[in-house]
Amino acid sequence: QRMQQGEVVVVDDVLSPAELKQVQRDIAQMDRERRFQPNTHHVPGIRTDEICYIRESDISGPKTGLRHVQRLIRGVPYELTRTGQWHEEPLVIAPWMQLARYEKDGGFYGPHTDAIEFLPVYWIAGPIALYSWLKSYAFRRRRITSIIYLNDPNWPEESGGALRAHHVSGDGYTDLLPRGGRLIMFDSRIVKHEVRPCHQE
């Protein structure tokens, strides 16, 4: 209910120090495998992150840390439904998880929402715009954004990279540091947010 009213829910320490160290080792291995690529929507004035989409079947061998994180993320909609905290349409669990990385030279992601709503302009713009909207099924279906940060748990404020969540009332914002082990959840459709410039990878 808090999320449906536009509130950002924060849960710290969802990963133990040992679990966080393991997932950081897994990510370092993925980096050596060159799994991170510039976002296909990479636009200098909008976003500059590198990403990797992974399914559970992609996490093979010793990558037990990433497997644990993926199961935590996939468990969010299940728990919200099981405990009666979500009262809208049934939540569908995405088959993939996105890992995002921001470079320390000011990497950022400008203000946006994570779900795409149908707007009358799609009719006006013609069939190509309408086709693009229909094709963006994964974005249209988004209802809850769940983020688990995998950085150092003592991430300092001067390193930047905070998630800035704009209040739905339009009267301000809240900055949340990307501390390792922190889970953040919010309604994908109504919470405009951004990643502030990073000064540490």
Side-chain angles (χ1 to χ4, degrees), residues 48-49 100-110 112 147-152 155-165 174-180 182 184 186 193-201:
T48 61
D49 53 329
R101 178 174 65 184
Y102 294 85
E103 296 295 336
K104 62 183 179 181
D105 58 354
F108 73 100
Y109 193 163
H112 65 284
I147 302 169
I148 295 180
Y149 288 106
L150 307 174
N151 305 309
D152 188 311
W155 184 275
E157 186 174 354
E158 57 268 23
S159 291
L163 179 80
R164 174 166 292 180
T174 298
D175 282 350
L176 299 162
L177 290 177
R179 290 181 173 141
R182 169 172 283 179
I184 293 178
F186 54 85
H193 57 285
E194 58 184 291
V195 177
R196 302 296 295 160
C198 297
H199 308 299
Q200 178 180 334
E201 184 176 280

Side-chain angles (χ1 to χ4, degrees), residues 87-107:
H87 304 289
E88 296 188 19
E89 73 276 21
L91 295 169
V92 177
I93 300 175
W96 42 263
M97 175 177 70
Q98 176 186 283
L99 291 176
R101 178 174 65 184
Y102 294 85
E103 296 295 336
K104 62 183 179 181
D105 58 354

